[in-house]
Amino acid sequence: MIIDSHQHFWKYNPVKHSWINEQMTVIRRDFLPSDLKPVFAKNGVDGCVAVQADQTLAETDFLLEHAHNNAFVKGVVGWVDLRSADVDKDLEKYAKDKHLKGYRHIVQEEADHNFLLRPDFLRGISKLEQYGAVYDILIFPHQLGATLELVKKFPNQKFVIDHIAKPYIKDGFYDGWAAMMKEVAKHENVHCKISGMITEADFKTWTPEQIHPYMLLALEAFGPERCMYGSDWPVCLVAGSYTQVKDLTTNFISSLSTTEQAAIMGQNAVDFYGLE
């Protein structure tokens, strides 16, 4: 089974989606399950995990509605305010929905490099395990230090690094990111999504060869058993087609065993998120 562990749906709103800049005009429109279903059919993908792109409870409800109405949307990574004193109320509510698998905060946009270590945020993270919820870590490389401290504090909490921590592929920066990723990967409660890479390279001139060193580091650090394929559709469309994104991963891992390839392309996501 091939599972895309990371994609988004939205009804485009220029205010809510102001992060979609002038270089990304191709995705300034609605993207819904009816748009993704034929893409999956063409590329032989069986299902996906829909991940939040807006920090509201309405976004979580929006994604869950699509999961309820579309069998190929196997799970949802939503948002609740983990800093809220009332976070238990929201976590308890969403724990009743079998499609809600975990949560994410758009930490990459936070000015505080140590946002992940704020006491109110840590308190929220401490609640997730009892509700069986995983946590997706969306960061830039300069936030990997805080990420390392976070995952040390919660050894029983399941974490996954989104988009291999968004290394600056376009600029060729590698060493600092690589060193920190190796440290984070030493903690076996942390997984890594092989996703979101072509949009960290030059949108127009990227090549697989430019991205391979970053993929290799992630694969060696986390191992085939803790890496999972994700497309970051529709964001990926600013730099390439869905097929190009999928082929980037399948071609790269083609030398691995059949079992390892199957794990990265689907089984790891099934196990990590508890997909049915």
Side-chain angles (χ1 to χ4, degrees):
M1 178 181 286
I2 295 181
I3 298 292
D4 184 337
S5 72
H6 198 105
Q7 57 76 217
H8 307 284
F9 298 121
W10 62 66
K11 289 188 175 179
Y12 178 68
N13 178 297
V15 176
K16 187 165 69 172
H17 300 110
S18 59
W19 57 271
I20 303 178
N21 61 35
E22 292 299 322
Q23 290 183 295
M24 305 168 77
T25 53
V26 68
I27 59 171
R28 283 181 173 171
R29 66 174 181 85
D30 296 353
F31 287 94
L32 298 169
S34 57
D35 300 298
L36 185 56
K37 193 172 184 179
V39 175
F40 277 1
K42 177 183 176 183
N43 289 278
V45 178
D46 300 295
C48 62
V49 177
V51 180
Q52 63 84 223
D54 185 42
Q55 303 200 137
T56 61
L57 296 179
E59 170 84 344
T60 306
D61 294 337
F62 167 76
L63 295 178
L64 286 170
E65 181 181 356
H66 287 311
H68 298 158
N69 295 327
N70 297 273
F72 73 91
V73 183
K74 305 288 188 184
V76 165
V77 174
W79 180 89
V80 295
D81 188 354
L82 291 170
R83 298 162 293 178
S84 169
D86 298 324
V87 69
D88 272 297
K89 182 177 67 175
D90 293 326
L91 293 175
E92 187 173 348
K93 168 192 168 185
Y94 287 120
K96 296 172 183 173
D97 193 315
K98 68 175 185 177
H99 289 94
L100 196 290
K101 303 300 183 181
Y103 299 95
R104 185 175 83 153
H105 187 93
I106 303 176
V107 177
Q108 68 176 38
E109 295 300 322
E110 295 290 347
D112 181 0
H113 291 193
N114 292 311
F115 175 87
L116 289 169
L117 302 178
R118 290 180 178 176
D120 54 356
F121 190 78
L122 291 174
R123 179 183 170 276
I125 291 288
S126 75
K127 303 284 186 180
L128 298 183
E129 185 186 351
Q130 70 191 80
Y131 292 102
V134 304
Y135 184 77
D136 271 56
I137 302 174
L138 178 63
I139 52 167
F140 283 128
H142 69 266
Q143 296 163 315
L144 276 165
T147 298
L148 178 59
E149 296 303 313
L150 173 72
V151 302
K152 283 180 180 178
K153 290 178 184 294
F154 301 102
N156 297 317
Q157 173 61 43
K158 291 167 69 174
F159 294 103
V160 61
I161 305 283
D162 288 350
H163 312 324
I164 64 171
K166 308 194 83 167
Y168 305 116
I169 299 172
K170 181 179 179 180
D171 299 310
F173 298 154
Y174 176 86
D175 291 348
W177 164 84
M180 289 305 303
M181 284 288 277
K182 288 177 184 177
E183 290 301 312
V184 172
K186 289 177 181 177
H187 299 273
E188 294 188 359
N189 56 321
V190 189
H191 294 61
C192 184
K193 290 185 182 178
I194 308 296
S195 62
M197 297 169 295
I198 67 171
T199 46
E200 296 308 314
D202 188 287
F203 292 171
K204 293 183 169 60
T205 64
W206 68 270
T207 65
E209 291 72 27
Q210 289 173 330
I211 298 173
H212 284 169
Y214 299 88
M215 299 176 74
L216 181 61
L217 185 283
L219 184 60
E220 288 180 344
F222 289 89
E225 68 280 3
R226 286 190 286 143
C227 288
M228 59 185 89
Y229 160 71
S231 69
D232 200 24
W233 181 96
V235 181
C236 64
L237 301 179
V238 304
S241 68
Y242 190 96
T243 301
Q244 284 178 296
V245 171
K246 181 169 176 260
D247 287 351
L248 177 65
T249 299
T250 56
N251 291 341
F252 182 75
I253 66 173
S254 61
S255 62
L256 299 180
S257 72
T258 303
T259 301
E260 289 171 333
Q261 292 181 56
I264 292 169
M265 296 306 296
Q267 191 58 48
N268 290 344
V270 170
D271 294 343
F272 180 81
Y273 286 110
L275 307 181
E276 297 177 4

